[in-house]
Amino acid sequence: MRRLLPLLTLLMPLAAAGQSLGGNPNALASQWLYQAPGKAVDLGYGVAVPLWRDRDGRMLMLRADAQSPGASPLGDAPLSFPVAGAGSVRSTDLQYGLDPNLQIHAGLSEHNAISHGPRVVGSEIGATYNLGRYSVGLSVAADSTPDKRLPRVLPGATPGVNGLPDFDSSAQLNASGRVAVGGQSGIDLGASVGRIRLLPGNVLGINTLDQKALSFGVDHGPLSGTLVGRTMQPALPGGYYGDKRWSSIDLGVTLRLPWQGELSIGAQNLWSSGSSVPTPAGPEPDQSRTPYVQYHQDL
C-alpha cells in the first residue's frame, strides 16, 4: 500500500490534464508541442503527435488512425471496399507544415478483410492549403494487392474492390475542399480520376478501367454524412465494351460517440446502373445494394 501512494501521486496531474482537455485531440497535440525534449508518450490512434517545430512555424507531425471501412466514406471515395465481412482500415501519415497555411503530407494505409477479402495497401502524397474557413487539397495516390494469392484455381477467385473481381492495382489523382460553417460544422467536396488494373485472366476479359468519383459530405459536431458517386468504363474504346459504363452511388452516416466509439449506417450501391445482364466474357461488376450498420470502438 505504501508503494502505491507515490505512484498515485505521480498519476494525479496526468489525470487532471486529461479531464481539462475533454478528449480534444487538437488541444492534446498542442499541449505536447511544448513538452520538454526527449519525452515520449503513447497518445493512441487518431491523434497527431508533433515531432519537431521551429520558431518560424514549420512543424513535423505523425498521425496514426484505425477505423472500420464504413466509418469515414469520404476518405475512401476513390475506391469502394466491401463492407460485408470487412475488417479494419489502418493508416499512418507524416505531415509537414511549411507555414501556418501550407502543409504537405505522405501516408500509407492498409485495408484488411476479416474473411476472404484481399489486403489492399495504399500510398498517398499531397498538399493542403488552409485559410481557416476554407481549405483545398491535391494528392496522388496508388493502391495494390501485395499478396496475389497465387496460384489462382479459377478466375474471379480473388474478391474485388469497386465490385470488380480480381482487383490488382489502381492509381488516382484526388482533389478535395472544405468550407467550415460555424465552429462545429463543415461541407466537404472531393473529386478523383484514375485507372484500375485487373489481374490477368479475369472474368471480365479486360485489363484496365478508367474511373471517376465525386463525393459530398456534411458534418455537424459528432454527426457526419457522405454521398459518393463513381463511374467506371473500359480504358480502351471499341469492341464489345466500347460504350459500356458502370455507375453507383454510396451513402453513409456516422455518429461519433463520447466513449471513442463510432456508429455507421448506410448503403453501398444505393443506386447503380450498367449491371443488367451477364456478358459473354463473364459477370459484370457486382453492384448489388448492400445496407450496413457498423460499430467501431477504439481500445
Side-chain angles (χ1 to χ4, degrees), residues 64-85:
D65 202 358
Q67 60 189 16
S68 60
S72 300
L74 184 61
D76 297 331
L79 295 177
S80 174
F81 294 88
V83 174

Side-chain angles (χ1 to χ4, degrees), residues 52-68:
W52 170 82
R53 181 178 184 178
D54 66 5
R55 296 180 179 179
D56 296 329
R58 290 186 292 267
M59 182 170 56
L60 184 67
M61 303 181 70
L62 179 67
R63 179 182 176 89
D65 202 358
Q67 60 189 16
S68 60

Side-chain angles (χ1 to χ4, degrees), residues 181-223:
V181 182
Q184 295 185 339
S185 304
I187 299 174
D188 295 283
L189 299 174
S192 173
V193 293
R195 177 160 291 184
I196 296 175
R197 292 177 174 84
L198 304 180
L199 292 172
N202 62 83
V203 294
L204 279 175
I206 52 180
N207 297 325
T208 57
L209 293 137
D210 287 331
Q211 177 181 256
K212 300 179 179 66
L214 291 173
S215 62
F216 174 79
V218 178
D219 60 86
H220 178 71
L223 186 65

Side-chain angles (χ1 to χ4, degrees), residues 10 115 149 251 295:
L10 292 174
S115 55
R149 302 174 182 268
L251 176 64
Y295 177 77

Side-chain angles (χ1 to χ4, degrees), residues 211-244:
Q211 177 181 256
K212 300 179 179 66
L214 291 173
S215 62
F216 174 79
V218 178
D219 60 86
H220 178 71
L223 186 65
S224 61
T226 305
L227 189 69
V228 182
R230 299 181 183 86
T231 298
M232 297 180 297
Q233 64 182 130
L236 298 177
Y240 184 85
Y241 286 98
D243 57 350
K244 194 63 178 173

